Amino acid sequence: MSPPRIRNMEEFASVSGISRPTISKYFNDPDSVRASTRARIEEALERYDYRPNIYAINQNRRLTKNIGVVVPYLADPFFAEIARNIEQRCIAAGFSPTLFSAHGQPDLERDILDTLRSLKPAGVLFAPLGRSSDRGAIEKFSRDIPTVLFDSNIEGVGEAFIGSNNFQSVPMMVDYLCRTGEAPCFFEMTPLNPNANKRHNAYVEAMEQRGLAPNVVRVEGDSWNFEDIGFAEGKKAFEQKRFNSDTIFCSNDRLAIGLLAAAYEKGYRVGNGAGCAVRIAGHDDHPFSRFTSPTLTTVAQDYASIAQTSVETLFKLIESGERASERRETVYEGKLVLRASA
């Protein structure tokens, strides 16, 4: 039989045979107890798979001012911009943010959670990888440390989620493209996070609501090198005539940036008006999208509101020292940004 689930530190003290004050002392500073006692505690922790209630511990010691910020891929300026917004708000509130990037690697994402435990943060703002994340590890972490998810949602995990409303933004772009030219096909790669799946579904739904047949062009690619995938696979799609429309709506701006380069190499002029062969639009308002040639029509996510609400939600959890009565999800609408590419 598996050992009983331990619900609090008193129960752990009872089953381990170690006094409650000694255990509390260990959790505040493992080096403050004798090596032999530390070994007994750690063996019991492993045997009973117990992790302390950080909220309860914080009632007996001063909260740290550390805030962990975890993003999936810091080399992406989109996440760098959101992280910058979050860091500034944490610093202004007197907290010390520490930024981590999983670099698209699930093993590294798990290691980051272990590192954060050792830092004893007051709370964590976390944008998970998504499909490749270790859900069990994230669930376990968020039970111990106040955790707010942003950008990429894992249903039921963490105290709250703050992100974008893809079922508002994608139909808005589809509507604009349909009103101004041919109905769009949808260019995507293997979905890496929940946003990609939601955008796919929102596109299909928006087309069907207009009585139009969706045309999803999914290409190979299972990495965070979106521009490379958009360029290489976009060229193949042009050569194979997979786009059944002269209007292409890309799942995100980084794919669109790669597709713009592919169109240029294939000799297709991108934009509206005479002499243009194809229209290309994206999603996110990536910081580089205003500097492409032609500049990229896209949907802007509300970076500032996502960052502000994420930080404020976490601060409220930290200050209350209590679990949220129910998990909250807050999503913000996107804004159409019209530029030269469509």
Side-chain angles (χ1 to χ4, degrees):
M1 293 179 62
S2 60
R5 178 176 175 78
I6 305 303
R7 294 174 296 179
N8 53 48
M9 209 174 292
E10 285 72 24
E11 289 185 2
F12 180 70
S14 176
V15 299
S16 66
I18 303 166
S19 72
R20 171 69 169 76
T22 299
I23 292 170
S24 180
K25 188 178 180 182
Y26 168 85
F27 282 124
N28 279 284
D29 181 7
D31 293 330
S32 66
V33 300
R34 289 182 298 180
S36 59
T37 303
R38 186 164 64 247
R40 286 179 60 203
I41 293 172
E42 290 171 353
E43 189 276 332
L45 288 172
E46 185 70 22
R47 185 191 331 150
Y48 293 104
D49 192 27
Y50 173 67
R51 294 295 181 271
N53 184 333
I54 298 299
Y55 294 93
I57 290 175
N58 283 336
Q59 300 302 312
N60 299 315
R61 66 173 170 84
R62 184 173 178 271
L63 279 169
T64 72
K65 285 291 187 178
N66 300 324
I67 296 290
V69 183
V70 186
V71 297
Y73 195 72
L74 192 56
D76 184 339
F78 170 79
F79 290 111
E81 179 65 13
I82 287 189
R84 182 185 68 82
N85 274 272
I86 286 173
E87 283 186 318
Q88 288 180 335
R89 284 167 169 78
C90 287
I91 292 168
F95 286 85
S96 299
T98 303
L99 179 62
F100 298 86
S101 172
H103 298 291
Q105 302 173 35
D107 289 345
L108 181 54
E109 187 176 71
R110 281 193 296 271
D111 290 344
I112 288 169
L113 298 182
D114 290 338
T115 299
L116 280 167
R117 284 184 185 278
S118 68
L119 295 177
K120 299 179 180 178
V124 172
L125 294 159
F126 187 20
L129 290 171
R131 183 171 61 86
S132 61
S133 290
D134 184 335
R135 180 188 174 98
I138 297 173
E139 284 181 329
K140 192 173 184 180
F141 178 86
S142 65
R143 285 197 296 267
D144 297 337
I145 296 172
T147 303
V148 171
L149 270 57
F150 68 95
D151 181 68
S152 178
N153 193 12
I154 299 179
E155 299 289 340
V157 175
E159 301 289 319
F161 166 73
I162 294 88
S164 295
N165 185 352
N166 292 292
F167 285 93
Q168 172 269 336
S169 58
V170 169
M172 177 176 61
M173 179 61 82
V174 170
D175 176 71
Y176 164 73
L177 295 173
C178 287
R179 285 188 290 105
T180 55
E182 288 190 11
C185 51
F186 190 70
F187 183 57
E188 66 174 9
M189 53 181 277
T190 304
L192 295 182
N193 64 26
N195 286 325
N197 282 320
K198 288 175 181 176
R199 291 175 190 176
H200 170 104
N201 293 337
Y203 163 77
V204 171
E205 183 178 297
M207 293 288 283
E208 290 177 344
Q209 285 179 350
R210 287 166 174 75
L212 301 170
N215 178 35
V216 176
V217 180
R218 177 176 291 187
V219 297
E220 295 182 6
D222 193 13
S223 78
W224 286 80
N225 299 318
F226 297 167
E227 293 89 354
D228 289 343
I229 294 168
F231 176 64
E233 297 300 322
K235 283 199 301 181
K236 292 179 184 177
F238 279 127
E239 292 164 358
Q240 296 166 2
K241 302 188 185 303
R242 294 183 64 189
F243 301 119
N244 70 348
S245 168
D246 67 9
T247 303
I248 306 170
F249 180 15
C250 299
S251 179
N252 62 66
D253 283 354
R254 292 182 60 200
L255 269 180
I257 289 169
L259 189 63
L260 285 172
Y264 175 83
E265 185 155 310
K266 299 305 296 182
Y268 297 124
R269 185 176 176 184
V270 178
N272 289 304
C276 292
V278 63
R279 296 190 300 162
I280 294 176
H283 192 293
D284 292 338
D285 198 22
H286 186 288
F288 294 168
S289 63
R290 70 194 66 180
F291 302 114
T292 57
S293 182
T295 54
L296 184 63
T297 288
T298 185
V299 174
Q301 294 198 55
D302 193 344
Y303 294 83
S305 293
I306 291 171
Q308 180 175 339
T309 303
S310 297
V311 170
E312 289 177 350
T313 301
L314 182 63
F315 288 172
K316 288 178 182 177
L317 286 168
I318 293 170
E319 290 166 3
S320 70
E322 298 177 354
R323 293 284 186 181
S325 57
E326 60 182 36
R327 186 178 189 266
R328 290 174 50 200
E329 293 191 8
T330 304
V331 291
Y332 288 96
E333 293 190 350
K335 180 181 178 181
L336 194 62
V337 179
L338 301 182
R339 300 195 179 106
S341 71

